[in-house]
Amino acid sequence: MLASHEKLRCSTIGIIAIVRAVIALDSLPGSRWKKLSGMLAPRVISIDNRQMSSQHEARERVTTSPDWYEPYAISLGIRTGNLLFVSGQAGFDETGTTVSPDFDAQARQTFANLKRVLEEGGSGLEHVVKVTIFVTDISVIDQVIALRREFFTLPYPADTIAEVRALARPDWKIEIEAIGLIPDS
């Protein structure tokens, strides 16, 4: 078995070989590689009369009033193209106070916060395609499944659930981040 520094050396040698091959292909006259590399170059597209690179689409920050994440330099959500990326939401109210020590109360508030940010960004719970759910005690998995059935619609979003040692605040028991589609108007 190779030691980690030997694996790194082998990987580096492999990358160098690939780069040399690409340089050699690119130098051939009439090379198909030149055509392919031209196709992969960044294109400029026009959106709302603004010019931007297709690799750097506009990002729009989603906020609510009050914006409970503003003091932490975190966006509640980022909208880009027809996607909305929502930062992890937890069981706190608009003042940032945890609603209850009870898991179910926190989870319901978490879904309410998630819904609010999604709707502010032009999406909704019915348009969520991926969620990541963090819990501090995996024994609540059956409650999480029941809440998913209550708040999401078929087809249910792709999901990752993970037990973590702690969340941003020691009294939080659940946090959910999501990716939602923004339907055409």
Side-chain angles (χ1 to χ4, degrees):
M1 181 172 276
L2 294 175
S4 60
H5 69 279
E6 291 171 324
K7 288 179 186 176
L8 180 61
R9 184 174 173 269
C10 290
S11 296
T12 304
I13 291 169
I15 291 170
I16 291 170
I18 291 169
V19 169
R20 285 182 179 158
V22 168
I23 291 169
L25 284 172
D26 199 39
S27 65
L28 295 174
S31 168
R32 284 188 173 178
W33 175 256
K34 284 185 181 180
K35 292 176 187 169
L36 285 173
S37 64
M39 290 169 48
L40 298 174
R43 295 182 305 260
V44 175
I45 57 174
S46 176
I47 298 176
D48 298 332
N49 298 323
R50 292 176 286 164
Q51 295 289 318
M52 65 184 70
S53 164
S54 62
Q55 290 183 343
H56 304 286
E57 284 192 30
R59 296 181 306 154
E60 180 183 340
R61 184 168 179 248
V62 176
T63 63
T64 60
S65 183
D67 183 342
W68 48 86
Y69 279 4
E70 179 66 31
Y72 307 104
I74 299 172
S75 294
L76 284 171
I78 293 289
R79 183 178 170 153
T80 182
N82 71 335
L83 294 175
L84 176 59
F85 297 85
V86 178
S87 292
Q89 300 299 304
F92 51 83
D93 62 21
E94 289 182 355
T95 67
T97 305
T98 303
V99 294
S100 168
D102 176 63
F103 175 81
D104 190 62
Q106 283 192 30
R108 290 183 176 285
Q109 184 65 45
T110 300
F111 275 98
N113 291 344
L114 180 62
K115 179 180 184 220
R116 183 170 178 207
V117 176
L118 285 163
E119 289 175 352
E120 192 66 34
S123 187
L125 289 170
E126 70 278 13
H127 300 296
V128 171
V129 294
K130 171 70 171 101
V131 293
T132 304
I133 302 174
F134 302 98
V135 294
T136 57
D137 180 358
I138 200 67
S139 70
V140 298
I141 187 75
D142 291 335
Q143 289 171 270
V144 171
I145 292 168
L147 289 163
R148 284 178 45 80
R149 286 191 175 114
E150 181 179 336
F151 287 96
F152 294 123
T153 57
L154 289 170
Y156 295 119
D159 187 350
T160 300
I161 184 166
E163 180 182 50
V164 295
R165 187 172 58 161
L167 294 166
R169 292 199 186 154
D171 56 340
W172 289 356
K173 296 182 178 190
I174 182 170
E175 184 173 330
I176 303 174
E177 61 182 27
I179 301 171
L181 294 175
I182 300 168
D184 295 332
S185 302

